[in-house]
Amino acid sequence: MLAIWRKELKSYFNSPIAYIFIWFFLVVTALKFFFLRGEGPQGQLRDNFFVTQEASLTAYFSVFPIALGVLVPMLCMRMWPEEYKSGTIETLMTLPVRAWQVVIGKFSAMLSILAITFALSLTVPWSVNEAAVVGLDWGPIIGGYVGAFLMGSAYCAVGLLMSSFTREQVIALLATFIVSLPLALAGTAYVESPTPDWLSPIAKFVGFAVRFQSIERGVLDLRDMFYFLSVTVLFVYLNITVVEARRLK
Amino acid sequence: MLEVRDLHKYYGAFHAVRGISFDVAKGEIVGFLGPNGAGKTTTMKIAVGFMTMSSGTITVDQRDVVQDSMAVRRVIGYLPEHAPLYEDMTVTEYLSFIADVRGLRGTLRAERLQYVLGVCALEPKRRSGIKTLSKGYRQRVGLAQAIIHDPKLVILDEPTVGLDPNQIIEIRNLIREIGERNTVVLSSHILAEVEATCSRVVIINEGLIVANGAPSALGAALTDDNVVQLELGADSCDVKGTFAEHVDVAEVLVAETTHRGCTITIRVAESCTSTKPMIDLSAQNGWEIHGIVRPNATLEDVFKSLTNSEGEPQSSLILANETEPHVEGHAEIEDADIGDKS
């Protein structure tokens, strides 16, 4: 399992994917936070950091659900398609490792990229701490990162599963978008008008951005954490099943 | 080492493998032969545990490949068709990865890495990226990967496909070397290759075993001792006519004009056991004899006759574990100038 994790991580950094992911994520989130004004998920106005001068990262974290929803599919798209297309799946699945070990190995490599990205993004709270008149309260920030990591891992699990259905990276990418963008946006102000009334409570329940709202303020609600964890576990489990089934058919 | 019993595999409604059984003993190099789509790759994929069978059993080293999959995978080395590799790794990185997953540690890992790099002649390319390698080198990396854990059974699916003749010879020698330590099953549709490397062949066609035995034994079993091929310095029509009159010819199989005269292949009657009448006849007519051969059926003939089932019921040739080849009827006189009197 460790060997598979190491191999996947190495291949991330052997290709431009990891660098593009990290670069885009850092630039987009920081740009949004420092320079752009925007709306919160419930339609409230948010000005940029230099205007508000507020020692809070709520506005920074609020970009995460969409940014991760768009960027994480990039991390997932080559995971299984590459194995299927090049035929390496055959070598991999005849080595003395079980399917779950392969899946967890791949999944943990994605989590590692996520962890590296978040670690690099710590420069933002650091800058805020330096620039703001009042220093930061680090408690909510740690909470925010924990929540963001859980949400990120849920996205990874979704993307990894979607990529296991196809041999084509592009299809994997699009399929992940099709699932993860609705998950990201469900229940937010952006999609409020097209959402039918009966669907609204469900959308608010599954929507990542809605769930993330309390987290971005630094409040770690157990229900939100449990939700993200359950999504992760469910999709990783489905992935193991799919990989087994595809192999044996 | 490998026991296949009544193996069936359906792909949907398609019956790809239709009940095959064979054994491979320890130390053998067995060639698995058959036309494309005969079920070779399917059988191999089931044996290594990549697929499941629809029914039947396969045991490797007395362990069931389904029940005891992990144990079987540990003792098998497998090279899939086209040697799939991780393109973005270097040779050493790839082999190290396989060694890690196979659980090789410490000095053993280093030793085995060194050994496979040496035996597969990969030393000069050890730091090269796999995507830059030629087909021959890629195949060797695939082989190195398959033997890195010193498996009891090595299964190679078309190890020489797509290689040039020099590379084929190199890989063939490598397989022979591997065969000295390990049991090897390889599939191929190149007959010369199987003849050159394998102690036994299993020929499979349309999901059924049609032949099983040593290459020479299979050839001998199909050899028709009554067929004689003559190459004479004469017109083919004259020869045909004269032979039909004087020798007990049952059938003229081939008569063609060549630059030296003609080549004529005839089947003589059972009673005609000697080629002397034909030589005498040629001498009398003043035909120069360039050659007389009683052709042996090659593995190619065996293959063709058994896998070319156009409507005819399939015959089969099972000589399993019969290693002693039949006596080979083989009379050959090259360019004998018997009739050169003019």
Side-chain angles (χ1 to χ4, degrees), chain B residues 248-267:
Chain B
D248 214 352
V249 178
E251 189 184 355
V252 178
L253 298 169
V254 188
E256 51 189 17
T257 310
T258 65
H259 66 286
R260 286 201 277 201
C262 71
T263 301
I264 184 161
T265 309
I266 51 179
R267 179 179 295 128

Side-chain angles (χ1 to χ4, degrees), chain A residues 7 11 83 86 90 97 247, chain B residues 49 73 78 84 86 88-89:
Chain A
K7 172 216 132 202
S11 88
E83 303 269 7
S86 65
E90 228 175 288
V97 282
R247 177 170 76 92
Chain B
R73 292 184 203 186
Y78 175 46
Y86 294 111
D88 56 0
M89 291 186 175

Side-chain angles (χ1 to χ4, degrees), chain A residues 3-4 6-8 10-12 14-15 78 82-83 86-99 101 106 244 246-249, chain B residues 9 11 41 45 48-52 69-70 73-74 76 78 80-81 83-89 93-94 97-98 100-102 109 145 157:
Chain A
I4 290 164
R6 207 180 304 133
K7 172 216 132 202
E8 294 295 344
K10 212 184 269 173
S11 88
Y12 266 135
N14 278 341
S15 74
R78 42 161 282 284
E82 204 171 70
E83 303 269 7
S86 65
T88 44
I89 188 76
E90 228 175 288
T91 328
L92 192 60
M93 293 314 231
T94 50
L95 291 171
V97 282
R98 297 186 187 278
Q101 293 174 305
K106 282 177 180 288
E244 275 286 302
R246 270 194 81 124
R247 177 170 76 92
L248 298 175
K249 76 169 185 226
Chain B
K9 175 73 185 177
Y11 291 109
T41 298
K45 281 182 177 172
V48 296
F50 184 67
M51 275 183 184
T52 43
S69 178
M70 285 296 140
R73 292 184 203 186
R74 269 181 218 111
I76 283 189
Y78 175 46
E81 208 174 347
L85 305 165
Y86 294 111
E87 302 279 326
D88 56 0
M89 291 186 175
E93 274 174 354
Y94 179 68
F97 165 66
I98 298 289
D100 288 341
V101 179
R102 290 232 172 246
R109 180 176 178 277
Q145 165 273 126
D157 197 354

Side-chain angles (χ1 to χ4, degrees), chain B residues 136-168:
Chain B
Y137 270 113
R138 296 175 59 103
Q139 210 72 31
R140 282 191 237 170
V141 176
L143 274 171
Q145 165 273 126
I147 58 170
I148 194 159
H149 52 301
D150 199 14
K152 291 183 177 169
L153 175 64
V154 185
I155 294 187
L156 310 169
D157 197 354
E158 310 233 345
T160 59
V161 73
L163 301 184
D164 71 35
N166 291 330
Q167 292 169 330
I168 289 178

